[in-house]
Amino acid sequence: MKSMKKLWAAALALAMMGSLAACGSGGQTGSDNEADLTYAVEAGSAGEEIATANGYQYTAVSSQADALMEVDSGNSDAAIIDLLMAGAMIGEGTSYPDLTYTESLTEEEYGVGCRQDSDLTDFINNVFAEAYADGTMASLADTYQIPADRLIEQGEPTEFTPAEDGDVAYIQDKGTLIVGITEFAPMDYKDENGNWIGFDADMAKLVGEKLGVDVEFKVIDWDMKIMELDSKNIDVVWNGMTLTDEVTSSMNCTNPYFSNAQVVVVPAE
């Protein structure tokens, strides 16, 4: 039965692009076999939104890396994850050479989440603008083997004066920018020495440098990211975060800096 379900999953991966294009990301794909498949998704992610909207059976796990492990081990038939992670983690010469993935199911954008009405948002937008203009973003994309055409052009820096009682002053006073993340290559992951690196990690370090503070990376339960932010356990959510309606209504978000997509991961046949 499991081998048959894998064949259904592979067939579904090929069919879903056209089906979702016709129905929209919130519509049913129309496959007779979807009810027999179990998807692995990261709790609180855009992948979980897609699975919920389409009525899929799914297992919510703590990270997209765990979702890949679920498929690789045969515990789930498929996973829905970000294209950028799939490109870095799946295929020949990667951690998961026996998995494959579809082309884009949805198009979406990444942003950084700050607290509501936080002046840190404008500060980060200015860092983005400068980093895009001077080629820093493009250089980091090359370092982490991310397609440069996924970078979103940034506007010009704007006039910025931090509020006396705002987040910028609060972070500078305590001397640390606490960044909420999950392990998500190529955006945030550990090198061989246990240090956090990746496109998002390096950009967060740049923001910390501009603020004149240290940067601390804190692994969070992604499904609890809004609570972690509002309770000041972290200062930003910065981990390849898709700008969903839930996110933009609950956080003060930066300008988008990367275009992303969701893909279905299945065992390669």
Side-chain angles (χ1 to χ4, degrees):
M1 181 62 179
K2 176 61 74 172
S3 61
M4 182 60 70
K5 288 171 72 176
K6 286 185 177 181
L7 290 174
W8 286 345
L12 176 63
L14 296 175
M16 281 184 74
M17 288 184 296
S19 300
L20 285 181
C23 299
S25 61
Q28 297 291 334
T29 64
S31 167
D32 292 337
N33 299 318
E34 290 169 14
D36 297 296
L37 302 178
T38 300
Y39 295 80
V41 298
E42 181 182 37
S45 69
E48 184 175 32
E49 285 196 6
I50 292 173
T52 300
N54 285 279
Y56 299 154
Q57 298 180 64
Y58 69 86
T59 299
V61 295
S62 61
S63 69
Q64 295 191 56
D66 287 344
L68 290 178
M69 291 174 61
E70 285 284 303
V71 180
D72 191 54
S73 66
N75 290 331
S76 294
D77 304 302
I80 304 174
I81 69 167
D82 288 26
L83 172 63
L84 292 183
M85 171 172 263
M89 299 288 288
I90 292 172
E92 185 177 352
T94 70
S95 301
Y96 295 98
D98 296 325
L99 300 182
T100 188
Y101 62 94
T102 67
E103 294 184 22
S104 302
L105 299 176
T106 62
E107 289 294 331
E108 54 204 36
E109 296 174 332
Y110 283 167
V112 179
C114 304
R115 283 180 277 275
Q116 295 281 23
D117 302 319
S118 175
D119 59 350
L120 183 61
T121 311
D122 290 335
F123 188 95
I124 295 174
N125 281 336
N126 277 347
V127 176
F128 280 173
E130 294 167 1
Y132 186 88
D134 67 16
T136 297
M137 279 188 167
S139 177
L140 287 177
D142 182 64
T143 296
Y144 294 107
Q145 299 181 316
I146 300 171
D149 61 2
R150 288 275 169 180
L151 282 170
I152 295 175
E153 183 176 358
Q154 303 295 299
E156 296 293 322
T158 59
E159 198 77 26
F160 176 76
T161 303
E164 290 185 7
D165 60 348
D167 266 354
V168 169
Y170 164 72
I171 291 163
Q172 289 177 327
D173 183 60
K174 66 188 176 80
T176 307
L177 173 70
I178 304 177
V179 182
I181 62 169
T182 64
E183 188 161 357
F184 173 22
M187 311 311 280
D188 292 293
Y189 62 102
K190 288 185 177 181
D191 65 12
E192 58 187 12
N193 298 315
N195 299 312
W196 287 102
I197 61 171
F199 184 94
D200 281 354
D202 287 3
M203 283 300 300
K205 292 172 190 175
L206 179 60
V207 169
E209 180 183 322
K210 300 283 187 182
L211 285 167
V213 301
D214 295 329
V215 176
E216 176 185 335
F217 295 97
K218 183 175 181 179
V219 176
I220 60 172
D221 180 339
W222 196 245
D223 205 26
M224 303 297 288
K225 57 188 176 291
I226 297 168
M227 186 199 72
E228 294 277 2
L229 186 63
D230 290 343
S231 64
K232 292 193 172 181
N233 288 333
I234 60 174
D235 297 311
V236 289
V237 182
W238 198 337
N239 190 74
M241 183 176 68
T242 300
L243 296 174
T244 63
D245 289 343
E246 179 195 23
V247 164
T248 56
S249 65
S250 304
M251 306 179 194
N252 193 6
C253 296
T254 66
N255 296 330
Y257 61 95
F258 250 119
S259 61
N260 180 48
Q262 295 296 307
V263 295
V264 174
V265 176
V266 295
E269 294 297 330

